[in-house]
Amino acid sequence: MKKGLKIFLFVIAFAFTALSYQPVKAQCAICAANVASNVKDGSKTADGLNHGIMYLLGAPYIAAVALGIIWYKKYRRKNVDLNMRSEKLNLN
């Protein structure tokens, strides 16, 4: 695949991901019960707890991407000599 096409597909995928954002309530049952009691009192604890859980959810993905980039940069081949013959091939 050509480099320009890869970049285009990446930009399109990123745009769809960014545009499909939906708020998520990422809480276990115990956390939800504690936060519900705090919300009745007018506390903003629920927002902070939701944001913290989402950061913790994203951390493994960020680590995997970082390792993938390091692996790609370290092990990709540069200046590979293919040693191909200059004569034409007869495939008949």
Side-chain angles (χ1 to χ4, degrees), residues 28-44:
C28 65
I30 297 170
C31 296
N34 287 333
V35 170
S37 66
N38 285 336
V39 169
K40 289 178 184 175
D41 299 333
S43 177
K44 294 279 186 180

Side-chain angles (χ1 to χ4, degrees), residues 11-22:
V11 169
I12 294 295
F14 182 77
F16 280 128
T17 303
L19 293 174
S20 67
Y21 171 77
Q22 296 179 0

Side-chain angles (χ1 to χ4, degrees), residues 23-39 43-57:
V24 178
K25 295 189 184 267
Q27 296 175 346
C28 65
I30 297 170
C31 296
N34 287 333
V35 170
S37 66
N38 285 336
V39 169
S43 177
K44 294 279 186 180
T45 307
D47 291 336
L49 185 61
N50 278 335
H51 289 288
I53 291 171
M54 294 308 289
Y55 287 131
L56 289 172
L57 178 69

